[in-house]
Amino acid sequence: MTWDLSCPDWEDRLRTGRPLVPDLPLNQAEGDRAVAVLNKLRLADVPGTPTLADATGDWFRDPTRALFGSLDPVTQARRIRELFLLVPKKNSKTTNGALLMLTALLLNRRPHASMIMTAPVQDVATLAFDAAHGAIELDPVLQKKLHVREHLKKIVHRETKAELEIMSFDPSALTGQKPVAVLIDELHVVAKMSKAASAIRQLRGGMLPFPEAFMAFITTQSEEAPVGVFKAELMKARAIRDGRQRGAMLPVLYEFPPAMQKDPSQWQNPANWPMVTPNNGKSITVERLQEEFETARNTGEEELRAWASQHLNVEIGLALRSDSWAGAEQWEKQAAPKRCTLAALLRRCEVIDVGVDGGGLDDLLGLAAVGRCRETGDWLAWCKAWAHPIVLERRKSEAAKLLDLAGSGDLVIVDAIGDDVEQLAQDVLQIYEAGLLDKIGVDPSGIGAVLDALSAAGIPEKNANGEDMIVGITQGYKLNGTIKTTERKLAEGTLWHGGSELMNWCVGNAKVEPKGNAILITKQASGTAKIDPLMALFSAVALLSLNPQPADDLADFLANPIIV
């Protein structure tokens, strides 16, 4: 039977400084044995070389006791097969992880077992190896038990011939491994690597023959919105912690409750920091964090967000950079998901303009609809995007994020070229058939396929006044006024959007490039990061800024709107 690993009182535990491991029916002897071994290991890079008994708290000992104490004495199967530990920097995360794996090597009973600790970069892997190697050098008993092959970063148990290898994360090297224990450090960085999810999936598969096998993740929060396998494992850990899902993963998450994360006055208050600083008073102090906090705050919003993500595990929804678009700072507060679906725009708006951008094989095809609310006069925006699978190969650095967006429904990955423009045309057709479509703004370059699809869907080239329905929106410096208009409408609180992950990402990707007295937001300046739906939004804003009026024959429609 699967254990219930939920911790429904986790918020209260954080506030009162109690460990985040729930009461479990552990094999107490095995758990205590693991903690006893862990406690005796010494820190070679700390003055006085203290033992872990003095250098870390119960916040780490309790998960260790649970992980090893979940081993069934009869079947030798481990009830807790995975550990997800989310802890901020400066809490001895990497060192503790290395010594946890050293403990696993010492307690292992399987001959020739393979164990792996991996980190995203060589420097972190070296730090972990040095911690394990240093602990061995400081203990004469361990020197006799273990053989350190320093050039290979391997530690071999002389009796069982089991090996612990500490290495940087390399999907090709990890493929085909059959480990008994795996620890992955800084999963949030690993998740951005190409084929990271596949490598972790194969590691899990390789562990299946071993009933005592376990996989541990020890990571901080990401400096950007979580993506890929990090996001997937974090969501699973939260679901198990909250009792919404059962599983064999023990979630130990040092993060503020959602309401506190959304309230800067809460997470910026040093009085609350001990909640997410479990090693406070040992490897780090709140006083030291306050000094770094002041430096980050005085540097700017970008640095403050990055600091908070790493030192307080505050999850970033919208990444800001020094060259970010000014509208990005106002973006999140203008999210209104229920008011800004396509159905809501059709129901609430008196007129809608559409923008289209992108569509290359290694681009997104972005669609934006911006309507004027007939009741408030506010502007309501809805955005969507499409991509062809080839973009996942050409833009591997963004592949994990694109797959996440596809999973959330904000992005559609089409099977065949042409499906994207056909689906876009059908969405635009809904606006046209509702009698709300003013015009469609497009980037004049490379719009042939879009025009053909719109025509095939039945959208005419001219409106009732003989004006072109499809209008070219000049890019570059001539878009400066539209960009400023969008900024002002956001700051005034009169432009609302759906708060989708897609647009949060695109807005965070947008980089500003000064050009004389104007500013540019271009795909070239943003590099491989995608902004096509944002550029589509600008095109729609450019048209709505001309103050289009509802069609004369819409009086009945406006008086008796269709309920969608």
Side-chain angles (χ1 to χ4, degrees), residues 418-488:
D419 289 351
D420 51 354
V421 292
E422 289 181 8
Q423 293 177 24
L424 178 148
Q426 290 303 311
D427 284 334
V428 177
L429 183 62
Q430 291 186 59
I431 302 172
Y432 175 74
E433 290 182 337
L436 300 175
L437 181 62
D438 172 45
K439 291 184 175 64
I440 304 167
V442 298
D443 180 348
S445 61
I447 61 167
V450 174
L451 294 178
D452 291 344
L454 292 171
S455 176
I459 297 173
E461 295 182 6
K462 305 280 186 180
N463 63 18
N465 297 324
E467 300 170 330
D468 289 338
M469 288 286 287
I470 301 174
V471 181
I473 304 295
T474 306
Q475 307 295 293
Y477 74 92
K478 291 188 177 180
L479 204 58
N480 181 66
T482 297
I483 294 172
K484 295 294 186 183
T485 296
T486 309
E487 292 172 8
R488 289 186 61 86

Side-chain angles (χ1 to χ4, degrees), residues 149-264:
R149 304 180 68 185
E150 193 167 354
H151 64 296
L152 296 176
K153 288 189 168 48
K154 283 187 179 182
I155 302 171
V156 183
H157 196 291
R158 297 183 192 273
E159 297 172 8
T160 65
K161 306 304 179 185
E163 292 183 350
L164 168 61
E165 182 175 5
I166 299 177
M167 59 193 292
S168 55
F169 191 92
D170 181 352
S172 60
L174 294 171
T175 299
Q177 296 278 357
K178 296 185 180 298
V180 167
V182 176
L183 189 146
I184 298 176
D185 193 15
E186 293 293 33
L187 180 63
H188 75 96
V189 180
V190 167
K192 298 177 184 178
M193 299 181 183
S194 176
K195 299 183 180 178
S198 175
I200 292 173
R201 186 164 53 249
Q202 293 206 32
L203 284 173
R204 281 189 167 118
M207 296 166 64
L208 287 176
F210 312 120
E212 77 276 23
F214 73 83
M215 176 178 285
F217 302 104
I218 301 185
T219 183
T220 61
Q221 185 53 265
S222 174
E223 291 188 24
E224 300 178 350
V227 299
V229 68
F230 171 61
K231 179 181 179 180
E233 300 298 335
L234 176 60
M235 294 298 103
K236 179 169 72 174
R238 286 172 174 166
I240 293 173
R241 176 197 63 188
D242 298 343
R244 293 180 283 109
Q245 179 178 328
R246 296 294 286 265
M249 173 186 280
L250 178 65
V252 181
L253 310 177
Y254 283 92
E255 61 179 359
F256 291 120
M260 292 183 67
Q261 290 214 33
K262 294 177 181 178
D263 184 353

Side-chain angles (χ1 to χ4, degrees), residues 211-380:
E212 77 276 23
F214 73 83
M215 176 178 285
F217 302 104
I218 301 185
T219 183
T220 61
Q221 185 53 265
S222 174
E223 291 188 24
E224 300 178 350
V227 299
V229 68
F230 171 61
K231 179 181 179 180
E233 300 298 335
L234 176 60
M235 294 298 103
K236 179 169 72 174
R238 286 172 174 166
I240 293 173
R241 176 197 63 188
D242 298 343
R244 293 180 283 109
Q245 179 178 328
R246 296 294 286 265
M249 173 186 280
L250 178 65
V252 181
L253 310 177
Y254 283 92
E255 61 179 359
F256 291 120
M260 292 183 67
Q261 290 214 33
K262 294 177 181 178
D263 184 353
S265 68
Q266 292 284 319
W267 62 257
Q268 291 184 20
N269 183 355
N272 293 325
W273 295 353
M275 292 173 62
V276 294
T277 312
N279 226 39
N280 183 29
K282 298 182 183 294
S283 61
I284 188 63
T285 64
V286 169
E287 290 73 20
R288 176 66 184 277
L289 286 176
Q290 283 183 267
E291 296 174 12
E292 296 183 0
F293 167 72
E294 291 299 334
T295 299
R297 184 167 61 176
N298 292 334
T299 302
E301 181 69 16
E302 171 197 7
E303 185 64 24
L304 178 59
R305 287 184 177 222
W307 180 88
S309 72
Q310 297 300 285
H311 295 277
L312 300 177
N313 274 348
V314 174
E315 184 173 325
I316 299 298
L318 177 63
L320 295 181
R321 301 172 175 84
S322 58
D323 53 359
S324 289
W325 171 46
E329 296 185 15
Q330 311 295 329
W331 186 260
E332 289 177 300
K333 71 180 181 65
Q334 288 304 109
K338 293 182 179 180
R339 293 169 59 190
C340 293
T341 63
L342 178 56
L345 263 66
L346 296 178
R347 186 171 62 247
R348 298 171 62 91
C349 294
E350 61 183 6
V351 64
I352 296 175
D353 279 300
V354 167
V356 179
D357 194 272
L361 290 183
D362 58 352
D363 280 331
L364 304 184
L365 175 62
L367 170 65
V370 183
R372 189 172 61 233
C373 179
R374 72 173 64 92
E375 296 175 356
T376 66
D378 288 352
W379 293 7
L380 309 180

Side-chain angles (χ1 to χ4, degrees), residues 107-167:
L107 296 180
N108 166 70
R109 300 184 181 99
R110 182 177 293 276
H112 300 281
S114 171
M115 301 183 182
I116 298 170
M117 178 174 179
T118 183
V121 294
Q122 187 63 40
D123 288 350
V124 179
T126 299
L127 178 64
F129 177 78
D130 289 346
H133 187 192
I136 295 168
E137 288 187 321
L138 290 169
D139 191 319
V141 175
L142 294 186
Q143 290 181 33
K144 293 179 181 179
K145 283 182 174 290
L146 304 173
H147 171 50
V148 180
R149 304 180 68 185
E150 193 167 354
H151 64 296
L152 296 176
K153 288 189 168 48
K154 283 187 179 182
I155 302 171
V156 183
H157 196 291
R158 297 183 192 273
E159 297 172 8
T160 65
K161 306 304 179 185
E163 292 183 350
L164 168 61
E165 182 175 5
I166 299 177
M167 59 193 292

